[in-house]
Every structure is written in C-alpha cells, then in structure tokens.
Amino acid sequence: MDVHVHLEGTRDLSAQIFRQLRTAVLDGRLKPGDALPPTRELARRLEVSRNTVAIAYERLAAEGFVDGRVGSGTYVRRDLGLARRPRSGPSSGWVRPRPVWASIPAPPTTREDSSFDLRAGIPDAAAFPFEAWRRLVTRELRPAAVGHGMYGDPAGLERLRAAIAHHVGMTRGVRATADDVVVTNGTQQAIDIIGRVLVEPGAAVAVEEPGYPPPARALVAQGARVVGVPVDRHGLVVDAIPSGVRLVVVTPSHQFPLGMPMPLERRLALLAWAQRHAAAIVEDDYDSQFRFAGRPIEPLQTLDRDGRVIYVGTFSKVMLPTLRLAFIVAPASIRQAVRSAKFVNDWHTALPTQAALATFIEEGTLARHIRRMRDEYATRQARILEILERDFGDTLEVIPSTVGMHLAAWLRPAAGDDARDIARRARTLDVGLYPISQFAAEPSTPPGLVLGYGAIPRDRIEEGLSRLEQAIRRRRRVSAGSP
C-alpha cells in the first residue's frame, strides 16, 4: 500500500511517521487488512534510516493499530472496530452543538477601531491610572503574596468583597456586607451564574426591548424563554411584562441603550409586580456612578424589602473592560447557591487581580479615578449636546440623559429611516457608532443612533460629529434620489 507520508525538519522523525500512519488508519485511508509499506521501501522513499521507520511501526503495533507477520509484512488490524468516517476528517460535523447555538451569534474576532470612536460602553483607557494599577498587581505577584498558590474562595477574596460592599454602600446606597458579594469575571458571567441558580429550562425571563443583548443570549443558551418587554420614556413598561415571567433583567439607573432613568414610581411598580408574581429582578447598574446632574437614582436593591433584587455591578466602565471584574450582591436566600454556581463555572476569579483591586479601592484610587472621569465625561457630554443642538436639530432628537457614558437620539424624518445605513456610511468616514437597532430584537424599533463619549477625546468630538453629519447628509441625498 503506497500511503502518503511527509517529513518536516530532522526532529522526531519516527514520531512524525507514527502520527501520520495512525491518522491514515483513523481516517479510513488505511483500511483493516491493508498492508503498510515495507520498512526498507518507506525508509528509502523518505530518505531516513530503516531503523527510524521500524521504530514507528513498533509503536503502531504496541498501541494496537497494526500486526506484524513474520515473512509477510505489517498490516492494519482487522478487529479495530473503527466506525466509517468521511474522507474529510474530523471537521465534517459529526459532533454538533445544541440547536440553540445556531441563534446565538459569535462575538466579532476583529477590532473595529476608528479615529472618531463614538461607540457606547467603552471607557477612556488613556485616562486609566496604569502606574498605580501596575504597582499593585506587581506587588500581588511576588512569591510572598502568592504564597503556596492555592485555590481561593469561589465568592472572592474577603478583603475585596468587604471593599466592594463598602464602595457600593457609600456611592450607590446598596445594602450589602462582604458575605453578600460574589466576585465574577464581568457582568456576563454574573448573569450566567444567576441563570444557573434561578432559571429552569423553558422558564420565561423578561429583558428590556431594546436592551443589552449578551445577558439575553446567556439566558437563552441555558434554555430560558427570553421575552422582550417594551421601553418607554420611563424605562421598562411594567404593565407589559407577560404572565409567567419569573426573572426580569433591567438597567433602571441608565437604560441601555436609550439612556433614560427609571423614575421612583416605576421602580416601586416593578418591585410590587415582582412581589405579586413571586419573581426576581436582576438590576444591572453598569455605569450609574457617572452622574452629572440631578439627584442620584436610588437602586432597586435599596428599595427592595423582600429580597427579590439581585444587584450586579461592574468595574468595566469605571476601570477597564479588559480586567473582567464585576460582582453580584445576592439576597441571603440564594447566597450559597450563587457561590456554588461560581465554583462550578470557573472556581474563582484571578486572586492577584482581586487583591490588587481591593487595595485600589481601599487606598481611594478608584474613588479619585471615578471623580476625575465623571468630570471629564460630563464635559464631553455637554460638548456633544451643544453640537447636536447647533447642527443636528433637524435630523436628531436627543433622548435626555444626565448619567453614564453615552447618549441616544432618534432620527427625525429629515434624516431618513435607516440608522444602520448611516452607521455604515459613518464608518467609511472613520467614525464608529452603533444604531439603536443593533440592540433591538424587534424590527419595529424606531430608527436612532447611540453616541458614546467614553473613547473619543474632547479635541476630536467636533470633527467626529462633523463627519457624522456628512454621513447623514449623504443618506438624505441618496434617499432623495440625488447622486
């Protein structure tokens, strides 16, 4: 049998021959009963010593793939019992994912950087105190700090959990102790853990429409039946939550992506609804610490008296998304289950990073960074609003917001009705931004744009919005039939 074997370099030649012949057997190119080339012939063809080929054959025999017959040759064993496999090999798709994964898109694998980055949810990395953070991480990676390198508490370092509880208690009024906190690798893992604890396959879960897609996808992947609930100028419409829902995921302090806060009356109505329907609420409080005007919005968790609100906070917006640091404040009734689910998921978040963050909070560096960025983002937002009022009055209707890292605006009739096309045209002008429809499951969502100001420096805002105006004007000319 003349089977193809090729060698690369001069190292591990016997191993290379063994692996390729084994693969030929497993793939069915060498069938049970087929003869392997004589060792002398294969050695001559590959320009190696006969002993090199003999060693590969001996290994094939030792592992049960072939039999050597004295005076006859070496043959693939007839009793291997291998299933027939297509010639295309293991990529042919015999192992298939559950059908639900066909509806869950994979994340983008390429970065879409732009010179004028108006994408929402991206903080200003250039303003992050890297020197302070590097000092803390370096200290935690020394042998004296790492110690014996043992695994840690799934809930997180007690010192960090205490620091988080104090931080959110002071800055957001959240009622929590260290025992209530579980440290996670980002908000997405937090939602995944909560779903593992609370959501049975087929259970109904309500999310905002439009809203942030990843949590919904995580719950769908767990077998939940996710339903979108419309949002009005006061946030989630409580009266529109379908019957049978047992979990609601909301962003009450700064609705994503539209940006409005949920007023007190609506928050109390949501809590009352949850009490009547024996439901739980996940409060995603993702960037509420950047408030520029008005009174702070009291979290649902602070108003909750029944232990129904699971508070989720993140450091991705106030620090860096690359750190993947977030946390859950769990009601006492599910605290142990949440810790167990974290353990099942990945045991615990990286301990040196946790220790560095604990000191980052304790030393006041985080608070100083938040104050500095709050002032910076307020200035950027004010500048964007000034330009939008001056140059976009006939094309964009801004949704009022005094918190966070982005604004949203509806398209007026003069701008047309295709925000996705405007975003594509802006991209050709080196401006990155999202249409509201990117966060909507319903095609009937009115057209609009989301304008982030975390990643765009002050001195680029004017030019970036000027280019966006060009993209809208091009869209208007095309809609009107002009070249």
Side-chain angles (χ1 to χ4, degrees):
M1 173 64 66
D2 187 13
V3 62
H4 176 72
V5 176
H6 70 280
L7 300 178
E8 296 180 358
T10 59
R11 301 185 61 182
D12 300 323
L13 298 181
S14 291
Q16 291 188 52
I17 295 169
F18 162 76
R19 285 193 295 269
Q20 292 185 49
L21 291 175
R22 180 189 59 184
T23 299
V25 172
L26 293 173
D27 285 349
R29 288 179 284 125
L30 280 174
K31 298 178 175 58
D34 282 350
L36 270 61
T39 56
R40 188 185 306 276
E41 176 186 329
L42 186 57
R44 178 181 53 78
R45 182 165 17 121
L46 297 177
E47 298 181 345
V48 299
S49 72
R50 185 180 179 187
N51 190 52
T52 297
V53 177
I55 291 173
Y57 279 25
E58 289 171 3
R59 185 174 173 187
L60 286 166
E63 296 198 15
F65 287 99
V66 299
D67 281 327
R69 304 174 192 171
V70 177
S72 176
T74 303
Y75 297 84
V76 178
R77 287 181 54 179
R78 293 184 179 277
D79 57 349
L80 283 177
L82 295 174
R84 291 181 61 85
R85 300 178 66 181
R87 296 298 295 271
S88 57
S91 62
S92 58
W94 288 105
V95 177
R96 298 183 183 277
R98 291 164 47 220
V100 66
W101 289 103
S103 64
I104 299 176
T109 56
T110 57
R111 295 177 57 182
E112 296 184 356
D113 291 339
S114 55
S115 300
F116 305 92
D117 198 343
L118 293 168
R119 291 175 298 171
I122 304 176
D124 188 347
F128 184 71
F130 283 102
E131 288 301 321
W133 181 252
R134 186 179 298 112
R135 169 178 57 84
L136 298 176
V137 172
T138 300
R139 185 167 71 190
E140 296 303 331
L141 286 174
R142 292 172 181 168
V146 174
H148 297 292
M150 299 299 291
Y151 293 101
D153 186 340
L157 289 177
E158 183 175 5
R159 187 163 65 91
L160 175 57
R161 291 187 281 115
I164 290 173
H166 181 261
H167 172 72
V168 295
M170 294 297 294
T171 61
R172 295 294 292 127
V174 171
R175 296 176 289 110
T177 67
D179 289 339
D180 302 316
V181 176
V182 173
V183 180
T184 66
N185 293 310
T187 297
Q188 192 67 1
Q189 187 186 52
I191 299 296
D192 183 82
I193 287 171
I194 293 167
R196 290 169 184 260
V197 170
L198 295 180
V199 178
E200 297 281 356
V205 177
V207 299
E208 297 166 312
E209 173 59 36
Y212 187 51
R217 292 169 184 163
L219 294 165
V220 167
Q222 292 179 346
R225 180 169 56 87
V226 174
V227 294
V229 177
V231 172
D232 64 13
R233 64 189 182 93
H234 296 309
L236 184 85
V237 179
V238 175
D239 292 340
I241 302 174
S243 60
V245 166
R246 290 294 175 263
L247 182 68
V248 182
V249 183
V250 290
T251 53
S253 296
H254 186 219
Q255 201 279 332
F256 189 91
L258 301 184
M260 77 286 288
M262 182 182 285
L264 177 62
E265 294 79 7
R266 183 69 62 86
R267 280 174 280 148
L268 292 176
L270 178 58
L271 290 169
W273 178 92
Q275 195 277 332
R276 290 195 307 273
H277 293 270
I281 301 169
V282 174
E283 179 176 18
D284 182 359
D285 203 27
Y286 65 99
D287 69 357
S288 61
Q289 295 184 61
F290 298 129
R291 174 163 292 279
F292 316 131
R295 295 179 178 176
I297 300 297
E298 201 168 22
L300 288 167
Q301 195 267 2
T302 306
L303 300 170
D304 177 28
R305 290 296 178 268
D306 297 322
R308 299 189 178 278
V309 176
I310 306 149
Y311 182 91
V312 174
T314 179
F315 295 97
S316 291
K317 302 299 182 287
V318 298
M319 293 176 67
L320 292 173
T322 51
L323 298 178
R324 306 307 304 141
L325 289 166
F327 59 94
I328 300 168
V329 177
S333 58
I334 64 169
R335 183 191 300 158
Q336 187 55 52
V338 169
R339 290 186 174 203
S340 297
K342 169 64 177 176
F343 170 75
V344 168
N345 194 285
D346 72 348
W347 199 314
H348 61 72
T349 299
L351 298 178
T353 306
Q354 289 192 59
L357 178 56
T359 307
F360 196 75
I361 297 172
E362 292 165 351
E363 291 182 347
T365 310
L366 176 64
R368 290 191 295 273
H369 178 61
I370 290 174
R371 287 195 297 270
R372 183 168 60 253
M373 298 315 299
R374 183 188 298 127
D375 293 341
E376 176 62 28
Y377 292 151
T379 301
R380 295 183 194 183
Q381 190 204 62
R383 182 64 179 137
I384 289 176
L385 288 172
E386 177 187 353
I387 296 172
L388 292 179
E389 182 178 359
R390 184 190 71 198
D391 300 334
F392 293 79
D394 64 332
T395 56
L396 296 180
E397 177 188 352
V398 177
I399 301 172
S401 177
T402 58
V403 64
M405 298 162 54
H406 74 269
L407 291 164
W410 301 117
L411 296 189
R412 296 186 187 275
D417 59 0
D418 193 341
R420 285 186 179 270
D421 186 57
I422 290 174
R424 284 192 295 267
R425 292 175 183 274
R427 188 71 187 88
T428 66
L429 298 172
D430 208 14
V431 177
L433 79 164
Y434 299 129
I436 290 175
S437 58
Q438 184 158 330
F439 308 104
E442 293 294 328
S444 59
T445 300
L449 300 173
V450 184
L451 306 174
Y453 41 83
I456 186 167
R458 269 190 262 179
D459 58 3
R460 292 196 172 189
I461 289 176
E462 177 103 32
E463 176 63 20
L465 290 180
S466 175
R467 295 184 181 211
L468 174 59
E469 187 183 16
Q470 293 177 44
I472 293 176
R473 283 203 303 267
R474 288 185 187 180
R475 170 67 190 167
R476 293 167 67 182
R477 285 199 300 268
V478 170
S479 298
S482 302

mmCIF file of all heavy atoms in Angstrom, residues 361-398:
data_model
loop_
_atom_site.group_PDB
_atom_site.id
_atom_site.type_symbol
_atom_site.label_atom_id
_atom_site.label_comp_id
_atom_site.label_asym_id
_atom_site.label_seq_id
_atom_site.Cartn_x
_atom_site.Cartn_y
_atom_site.Cartn_z
ATOM 1 N N ILE A 361 -9.208 50.031 45.781
ATOM 2 C CA ILE A 361 -10.385 50.647 46.412
ATOM 3 C C ILE A 361 -10.022 51.213 47.778
ATOM 4 O O ILE A 361 -10.373 52.355 48.111
ATOM 5 C CB ILE A 361 -11.521 49.611 46.539
ATOM 6 C CG1 ILE A 361 -11.984 49.135 45.158
ATOM 7 C CG2 ILE A 361 -12.706 50.216 47.307
ATOM 8 C CD1 ILE A 361 -12.973 47.984 45.207
ATOM 9 N N GLU A 362 -9.320 50.438 48.586
ATOM 10 C CA GLU A 362 -9.002 50.843 49.956
ATOM 11 C C GLU A 362 -8.150 52.105 49.996
ATOM 12 O O GLU A 362 -8.329 52.948 50.881
ATOM 13 C CB GLU A 362 -8.274 49.705 50.668
ATOM 14 C CG GLU A 362 -9.131 48.481 50.920
ATOM 15 C CD GLU A 362 -8.297 47.260 51.278
ATOM 16 O OE1 GLU A 362 -7.050 47.317 51.161
ATOM 17 O OE2 GLU A 362 -8.889 46.228 51.667
ATOM 18 N N GLU A 363 -7.224 52.255 49.070
ATOM 19 C CA GLU A 363 -6.358 53.433 49.052
ATOM 20 C C GLU A 363 -7.055 54.679 48.521
ATOM 21 O O GLU A 363 -6.490 55.769 48.560
ATOM 22 C CB GLU A 363 -5.122 53.154 48.194
ATOM 23 C CG GLU A 363 -4.170 52.141 48.795
ATOM 24 C CD GLU A 363 -2.922 51.928 47.938
ATOM 25 O OE1 GLU A 363 -2.917 52.376 46.769
ATOM 26 O OE2 GLU A 363 -1.952 51.339 48.445
ATOM 27 N N GLY A 364 -8.274 54.519 48.005
ATOM 28 C CA GLY A 364 -9.009 55.660 47.472
ATOM 29 C C GLY A 364 -8.700 55.959 46.016
ATOM 30 O O GLY A 364 -9.232 56.939 45.460
ATOM 31 N N THR A 365 -7.876 55.142 45.372
ATOM 32 C CA THR A 365 -7.520 55.399 43.973
ATOM 33 C C THR A 365 -8.730 55.265 43.066
ATOM 34 O O THR A 365 -8.908 56.051 42.127
ATOM 35 C CB THR A 365 -6.409 54.435 43.512
ATOM 36 O OG1 THR A 365 -5.348 54.451 44.461
ATOM 37 C CG2 THR A 365 -5.873 54.837 42.153
ATOM 38 N N LEU A 366 -9.571 54.274 43.310
ATOM 39 C CA LEU A 366 -10.767 54.103 42.492
ATOM 40 C C LEU A 366 -11.683 55.313 42.614
ATOM 41 O O LEU A 366 -12.177 55.834 41.608
ATOM 42 C CB LEU A 366 -11.518 52.835 42.886
ATOM 43 C CG LEU A 366 -12.847 52.615 42.145
ATOM 44 C CD1 LEU A 366 -12.597 52.415 40.656
ATOM 45 C CD2 LEU A 366 -13.604 51.419 42.731
ATOM 46 N N ALA A 367 -11.936 55.773 43.835
ATOM 47 C CA ALA A 367 -12.827 56.922 44.033
ATOM 48 C C ALA A 367 -12.287 58.159 43.326
ATOM 49 O O ALA A 367 -13.049 58.920 42.696
ATOM 50 C CB ALA A 367 -13.009 57.185 45.522
ATOM 51 N N ARG A 368 -10.976 58.385 43.421
ATOM 52 C CA ARG A 368 -10.386 59.542 42.744
ATOM 53 C C ARG A 368 -10.506 59.415 41.233
ATOM 54 O O ARG A 368 -10.801 60.400 40.541
ATOM 55 C CB ARG A 368 -8.921 59.704 43.155
ATOM 56 C CG ARG A 368 -8.722 60.157 44.587
ATOM 57 C CD ARG A 368 -7.279 60.545 44.851
ATOM 58 N NE ARG A 368 -6.364 59.410 44.742
ATOM 59 C CZ ARG A 368 -6.079 58.596 45.748
ATOM 60 N NH1 ARG A 368 -6.652 58.771 46.940
ATOM 61 N NH2 ARG A 368 -5.231 57.591 45.588
ATOM 62 N N HIS A 369 -10.307 58.214 40.715
ATOM 63 C CA HIS A 369 -10.420 57.992 39.275
ATOM 64 C C HIS A 369 -11.852 58.232 38.807
ATOM 65 O O HIS A 369 -12.073 58.858 37.761
ATOM 66 C CB HIS A 369 -9.978 56.566 38.937
ATOM 67 C CG HIS A 369 -10.091 56.228 37.491
ATOM 68 N ND1 HIS A 369 -9.400 56.893 36.499
ATOM 69 C CD2 HIS A 369 -10.845 55.278 36.854
ATOM 70 C CE1 HIS A 369 -9.698 56.373 35.324
ATOM 71 N NE2 HIS A 369 -10.568 55.389 35.512
ATOM 72 N N ILE A 370 -12.821 57.752 39.568
ATOM 73 C CA ILE A 370 -14.227 57.957 39.185
ATOM 74 C C ILE A 370 -14.567 59.442 39.181
ATOM 75 O O ILE A 370 -15.232 59.939 38.264
ATOM 76 C CB ILE A 370 -15.158 57.182 40.134
ATOM 77 C CG1 ILE A 370 -15.014 55.671 39.895
ATOM 78 C CG2 ILE A 370 -16.611 57.611 39.942
ATOM 79 C CD1 ILE A 370 -15.785 54.814 40.872
ATOM 80 N N ARG A 371 -14.128 60.182 40.208
ATOM 81 C CA ARG A 371 -14.414 61.627 40.244
ATOM 82 C C ARG A 371 -13.796 62.336 39.051
ATOM 83 O O ARG A 371 -14.433 63.200 38.434
ATOM 84 C CB ARG A 371 -13.881 62.228 41.552
ATOM 85 C CG ARG A 371 -14.686 61.883 42.786
ATOM 86 C CD ARG A 371 -14.335 62.794 43.945
ATOM 87 N NE ARG A 371 -12.939 62.645 44.355
ATOM 88 C CZ ARG A 371 -12.523 61.779 45.274
ATOM 89 N NH1 ARG A 371 -13.389 60.968 45.868
ATOM 90 N NH2 ARG A 371 -11.240 61.708 45.608
ATOM 91 N N ARG A 372 -12.561 61.975 38.726
ATOM 92 C CA ARG A 372 -11.875 62.599 37.596
ATOM 93 C C ARG A 372 -12.601 62.290 36.278
ATOM 94 O O ARG A 372 -12.819 63.191 35.443
ATOM 95 C CB ARG A 372 -10.430 62.121 37.539
ATOM 96 C CG ARG A 372 -9.602 62.768 36.438
ATOM 97 C CD ARG A 372 -8.122 62.473 36.617
ATOM 98 N NE ARG A 372 -7.831 61.034 36.577
ATOM 99 C CZ ARG A 372 -7.503 60.305 37.630
ATOM 100 N NH1 ARG A 372 -7.412 60.852 38.835
ATOM 101 N NH2 ARG A 372 -7.250 59.017 37.504
ATOM 102 N N MET A 373 -12.994 61.037 36.093
ATOM 103 C CA MET A 373 -13.668 60.661 34.847
ATOM 104 C C MET A 373 -15.087 61.200 34.796
ATOM 105 O O MET A 373 -15.604 61.499 33.706
ATOM 106 C CB MET A 373 -13.663 59.137 34.694
ATOM 107 C CG MET A 373 -12.269 58.524 34.593
ATOM 108 S SD MET A 373 -11.162 59.433 33.464
ATOM 109 C CE MET A 373 -12.046 59.298 31.923
ATOM 110 N N ARG A 374 -15.737 61.338 35.940
ATOM 111 C CA ARG A 374 -17.079 61.934 35.949
ATOM 112 C C ARG A 374 -17.016 63.353 35.401
ATOM 113 O O ARG A 374 -17.844 63.751 34.565
ATOM 114 C CB ARG A 374 -17.652 61.918 37.358
ATOM 115 C CG ARG A 374 -19.085 62.469 37.434
ATOM 116 C CD ARG A 374 -19.529 62.623 38.867
ATOM 117 N NE ARG A 374 -19.544 61.347 39.562
ATOM 118 C CZ ARG A 374 -18.938 61.100 40.715
ATOM 119 N NH1 ARG A 374 -18.214 62.058 41.302
ATOM 120 N NH2 ARG A 374 -19.020 59.928 41.288
ATOM 121 N N ASP A 375 -16.042 64.115 35.842
ATOM 122 C CA ASP A 375 -15.891 65.485 35.339
ATOM 123 C C ASP A 375 -15.566 65.484 33.844
ATOM 124 O O ASP A 375 -16.092 66.309 33.082
ATOM 125 C CB ASP A 375 -14.788 66.213 36.107
ATOM 126 C CG ASP A 375 -15.149 66.458 37.567
ATOM 127 O OD1 ASP A 375 -16.347 66.394 37.890
ATOM 128 O OD2 ASP A 375 -14.230 66.708 38.374
ATOM 129 N N GLU A 376 -14.697 64.573 33.433
ATOM 130 C CA GLU A 376 -14.305 64.510 32.025
ATOM 131 C C GLU A 376 -15.480 64.119 31.138
ATOM 132 O O GLU A 376 -15.735 64.743 30.098
ATOM 133 C CB GLU A 376 -13.151 63.529 31.845
ATOM 134 C CG GLU A 376 -12.717 63.309 30.402
ATOM 135 C CD GLU A 376 -12.200 64.572 29.741
ATOM 136 O OE1 GLU A 376 -11.673 65.456 30.454
ATOM 137 O OE2 GLU A 376 -12.323 64.678 28.494
ATOM 138 N N TYR A 377 -16.217 63.090 31.540
ATOM 139 C CA TYR A 377 -17.348 62.654 30.732
ATOM 140 C C TYR A 377 -18.457 63.697 30.709
ATOM 141 O O TYR A 377 -19.153 63.854 29.700
ATOM 142 C CB TYR A 377 -17.890 61.322 31.251
ATOM 143 C CG TYR A 377 -16.947 60.153 31.063
ATOM 144 C CD1 TYR A 377 -16.972 59.066 31.940
ATOM 145 C CD2 TYR A 377 -16.019 60.125 30.020
ATOM 146 C CE1 TYR A 377 -16.108 57.991 31.776
ATOM 147 C CE2 TYR A 377 -15.151 59.061 29.854
ATOM 148 C CZ TYR A 377 -15.196 57.997 30.735
ATOM 149 O OH TYR A 377 -14.340 56.933 30.580
ATOM 150 N N ALA A 378 -18.626 64.416 31.824
ATOM 151 C CA ALA A 378 -19.621 65.496 31.834
ATOM 152 C C ALA A 378 -19.267 66.562 30.804
ATOM 153 O O ALA A 378 -20.132 67.080 30.095
ATOM 154 C CB ALA A 378 -19.710 66.109 33.235
ATOM 155 N N THR A 379 -17.984 66.903 30.717
ATOM 156 C CA THR A 379 -17.540 67.896 29.737
ATOM 157 C C THR A 379 -17.770 67.395 28.320
ATOM 158 O O THR A 379 -18.233 68.140 27.443
ATOM 159 C CB THR A 379 -16.048 68.211 29.946
ATOM 160 O OG1 THR A 379 -15.857 68.701 31.275
ATOM 161 C CG2 THR A 379 -15.569 69.252 28.955
ATOM 162 N N ARG A 380 -17.462 66.139 28.072
ATOM 163 C CA ARG A 380 -17.651 65.586 26.728
ATOM 164 C C ARG A 380 -19.125 65.534 26.365
ATOM 165 O O ARG A 380 -19.517 65.857 25.232
ATOM 166 C CB ARG A 380 -17.040 64.183 26.647
ATOM 167 C CG ARG A 380 -15.532 64.156 26.822
ATOM 168 C CD ARG A 380 -14.983 62.751 26.663
ATOM 169 N NE ARG A 380 -13.605 62.657 27.137
ATOM 170 C CZ ARG A 380 -12.859 61.574 27.074
ATOM 171 N NH1 ARG A 380 -13.363 60.456 26.550
ATOM 172 N NH2 ARG A 380 -11.607 61.564 27.521
ATOM 173 N N GLN A 381 -19.957 65.115 27.322
ATOM 174 C CA GLN A 381 -21.389 65.061 27.030
ATOM 175 C C GLN A 381 -21.934 66.440 26.712
ATOM 176 O O GLN A 381 -22.715 66.628 25.768
ATOM 177 C CB GLN A 381 -22.160 64.445 28.192
ATOM 178 C CG GLN A 381 -23.616 64.146 27.821
ATOM 179 C CD GLN A 381 -24.543 64.092 29.017
ATOM 180 O OE1 GLN A 381 -24.702 65.088 29.711
ATOM 181 N NE2 GLN A 381 -25.153 62.940 29.231
ATOM 182 N N ALA A 382 -21.523 67.438 27.505
ATOM 183 C CA ALA A 382 -22.001 68.798 27.277
ATOM 184 C C ALA A 382 -21.589 69.295 25.893
ATOM 185 O O ALA A 382 -22.369 69.971 25.203
ATOM 186 C CB ALA A 382 -21.462 69.728 28.360
ATOM 187 N N ARG A 383 -20.367 68.957 25.482
ATOM 188 C CA ARG A 383 -19.905 69.386 24.171
ATOM 189 C C ARG A 383 -20.702 68.714 23.057
ATOM 190 O O ARG A 383 -21.078 69.371 22.063
ATOM 191 C CB ARG A 383 -18.416 69.045 24.017
ATOM 192 C CG ARG A 383 -17.810 69.496 22.698
ATOM 193 C CD ARG A 383 -17.841 71.001 22.586
ATOM 194 N NE ARG A 383 -17.249 71.453 21.334
ATOM 195 C CZ ARG A 383 -17.745 72.407 20.569
ATOM 196 N NH1 ARG A 383 -18.875 73.022 20.921
ATOM 197 N NH2 ARG A 383 -17.124 72.775 19.469
ATOM 198 N N ILE A 384 -20.982 67.439 23.205
ATOM 199 C CA ILE A 384 -21.785 66.734 22.204
ATOM 200 C C ILE A 384 -23.185 67.323 22.121
ATOM 201 O O ILE A 384 -23.716 67.561 21.026
ATOM 202 C CB ILE A 384 -21.835 65.225 22.535
ATOM 203 C CG1 ILE A 384 -20.468 64.589 22.269
ATOM 204 C CG2 ILE A 384 -22.907 64.523 21.713
ATOM 205 C CD1 ILE A 384 -20.379 63.133 22.657
ATOM 206 N N LEU A 385 -23.796 67.567 23.274
ATOM 207 C CA LEU A 385 -25.147 68.144 23.274
ATOM 208 C C LEU A 385 -25.159 69.522 22.610
ATOM 209 O O LEU A 385 -26.089 69.856 21.876
ATOM 210 C CB LEU A 385 -25.659 68.236 24.710
ATOM 211 C CG LEU A 385 -26.043 66.910 25.375
ATOM 212 C CD1 LEU A 385 -26.339 67.125 26.850
ATOM 213 C CD2 LEU A 385 -27.249 66.294 24.668
ATOM 214 N N GLU A 386 -24.130 70.302 22.853
ATOM 215 C CA GLU A 386 -24.037 71.630 22.237
ATOM 216 C C GLU A 386 -23.993 71.524 20.711
ATOM 217 O O GLU A 386 -24.709 72.248 19.998
ATOM 218 C CB GLU A 386 -22.780 72.340 22.749
ATOM 219 C CG GLU A 386 -22.524 73.706 22.119
ATOM 220 C CD GLU A 386 -21.178 74.272 22.535
ATOM 221 O OE1 GLU A 386 -20.503 73.678 23.395
ATOM 222 O OE2 GLU A 386 -20.799 75.327 21.981
ATOM 223 N N ILE A 387 -23.186 70.608 20.201
ATOM 224 C CA ILE A 387 -23.064 70.459 18.749
ATOM 225 C C ILE A 387 -24.331 69.852 18.155
ATOM 226 O O ILE A 387 -24.784 70.263 17.073
ATOM 227 C CB ILE A 387 -21.835 69.590 18.417
ATOM 228 C CG1 ILE A 387 -20.560 70.286 18.878
ATOM 229 C CG2 ILE A 387 -21.762 69.289 16.924
ATOM 230 C CD1 ILE A 387 -19.313 69.432 18.782
ATOM 231 N N LEU A 388 -24.930 68.889 18.842
ATOM 232 C CA LEU A 388 -26.160 68.293 18.333
ATOM 233 C C LEU A 388 -27.267 69.333 18.229
ATOM 234 O O LEU A 388 -28.027 69.367 17.247
ATOM 235 C CB LEU A 388 -26.605 67.144 19.244
ATOM 236 C CG LEU A 388 -25.721 65.892 19.256
ATOM 237 C CD1 LEU A 388 -26.295 64.855 20.223
ATOM 238 C CD2 LEU A 388 -25.586 65.302 17.860
ATOM 239 N N GLU A 389 -27.371 70.194 19.231
ATOM 240 C CA GLU A 389 -28.391 71.238 19.195
ATOM 241 C C GLU A 389 -28.120 72.236 18.067
ATOM 242 O O GLU A 389 -29.046 72.703 17.396
ATOM 243 C CB GLU A 389 -28.438 71.959 20.534
ATOM 244 C CG GLU A 389 -29.514 73.038 20.606
ATOM 245 C CD GLU A 389 -29.571 73.711 21.968
ATOM 246 O OE1 GLU A 389 -28.794 73.326 22.862
ATOM 247 O OE2 GLU A 389 -30.388 74.636 22.135
ATOM 248 N N ARG A 390 -26.836 72.516 17.849
ATOM 249 C CA ARG A 390 -26.472 73.512 16.842
ATOM 250 C C ARG A 390 -26.591 72.981 15.413
ATOM 251 O O ARG A 390 -27.089 73.695 14.524
ATOM 252 C CB ARG A 390 -25.033 73.960 17.099
ATOM 253 C CG ARG A 390 -24.527 75.070 16.187
ATOM 254 C CD ARG A 390 -23.032 75.255 16.370
ATOM 255 N NE ARG A 390 -22.274 74.130 15.807
ATOM 256 C CZ ARG A 390 -21.009 73.859 16.125
ATOM 257 N NH1 ARG A 390 -20.365 74.598 17.023
ATOM 258 N NH2 ARG A 390 -20.396 72.839 15.557
ATOM 259 N N ASP A 391 -26.157 71.732 15.192
ATOM 260 C CA ASP A 391 -26.018 71.244 13.821
ATOM 261 C C ASP A 391 -26.965 70.110 13.443
ATOM 262 O O ASP A 391 -27.054 69.776 12.253
ATOM 263 C CB ASP A 391 -24.578 70.747 13.593
ATOM 264 C CG ASP A 391 -23.552 71.842 13.803
ATOM 265 O OD1 ASP A 391 -23.902 73.032 13.631
ATOM 266 O OD2 ASP A 391 -22.390 71.508 14.150
ATOM 267 N N PHE A 392 -27.628 69.485 14.419
ATOM 268 C CA PHE A 392 -28.431 68.304 14.110
ATOM 269 C C PHE A 392 -29.902 68.477 14.498
ATOM 270 O O PHE A 392 -30.620 67.482 14.588
ATOM 271 C CB PHE A 392 -27.867 67.078 14.846
ATOM 272 C CG PHE A 392 -26.507 66.623 14.381
ATOM 273 C CD1 PHE A 392 -25.365 67.285 14.807
ATOM 274 C CD2 PHE A 392 -26.362 65.541 13.541
ATOM 275 C CE1 PHE A 392 -24.110 66.871 14.398
ATOM 276 C CE2 PHE A 392 -25.112 65.110 13.126
ATOM 277 C CZ PHE A 392 -23.977 65.788 13.554
ATOM 278 N N GLY A 393 -30.331 69.712 14.704
ATOM 279 C CA GLY A 393 -31.688 69.926 15.179
ATOM 280 C C GLY A 393 -32.757 69.368 14.261
ATOM 281 O O GLY A 393 -33.821 68.937 14.719
ATOM 282 N N ASP A 394 -32.490 69.343 12.951
ATOM 283 C CA ASP A 394 -33.494 68.855 12.009
ATOM 284 C C ASP A 394 -33.370 67.366 11.718
ATOM 285 O O ASP A 394 -34.211 66.802 11.006
ATOM 286 C CB ASP A 394 -33.412 69.635 10.696
ATOM 287 C CG ASP A 394 -32.079 69.421 9.989
ATOM 288 O OD1 ASP A 394 -31.082 69.154 10.688
ATOM 289 O OD2 ASP A 394 -32.037 69.512 8.751
ATOM 290 N N THR A 395 -32.329 66.710 12.264
ATOM 291 C CA THR A 395 -32.113 65.296 11.943
ATOM 292 C C THR A 395 -32.131 64.368 13.153
ATOM 293 O O THR A 395 -32.460 63.192 13.017
ATOM 294 C CB THR A 395 -30.767 65.106 11.212
ATOM 295 O OG1 THR A 395 -29.711 65.655 12.023
ATOM 296 C CG2 THR A 395 -30.789 65.800 9.857
ATOM 297 N N LEU A 396 -31.783 64.869 14.337
ATOM 298 C CA LEU A 396 -31.714 64.007 15.515
ATOM 299 C C LEU A 396 -32.500 64.605 16.679
ATOM 300 O O LEU A 396 -32.397 65.801 16.951
ATOM 301 C CB LEU A 396 -30.262 63.796 15.954
ATOM 302 C CG LEU A 396 -29.320 63.055 14.992
ATOM 303 C CD1 LEU A 396 -27.929 62.936 15.611
ATOM 304 C CD2 LEU A 396 -29.858 61.679 14.639
ATOM 305 N N GLU A 397 -33.237 63.744 17.373
ATOM 306 C CA GLU A 397 -33.952 64.136 18.593
ATOM 307 C C GLU A 397 -33.290 63.420 19.768
ATOM 308 O O GLU A 397 -33.428 62.221 19.932
ATOM 309 C CB GLU A 397 -35.419 63.738 18.506
ATOM 310 C CG GLU A 397 -36.209 64.049 19.772
ATOM 311 C CD GLU A 397 -37.605 63.462 19.742
ATOM 312 O OE1 GLU A 397 -38.018 62.940 18.688
ATOM 313 O OE2 GLU A 397 -38.282 63.516 20.794
ATOM 314 N N VAL A 398 -32.571 64.175 20.583
ATOM 315 C CA VAL A 398 -31.794 63.586 21.665
ATOM 316 C C VAL A 398 -32.711 63.127 22.797
ATOM 317 O O VAL A 398 -33.642 63.837 23.195
ATOM 318 C CB VAL A 398 -30.762 64.600 22.207
ATOM 319 C CG1 VAL A 398 -29.998 64.007 23.389
ATOM 320 C CG2 VAL A 398 -29.804 65.014 21.103
#
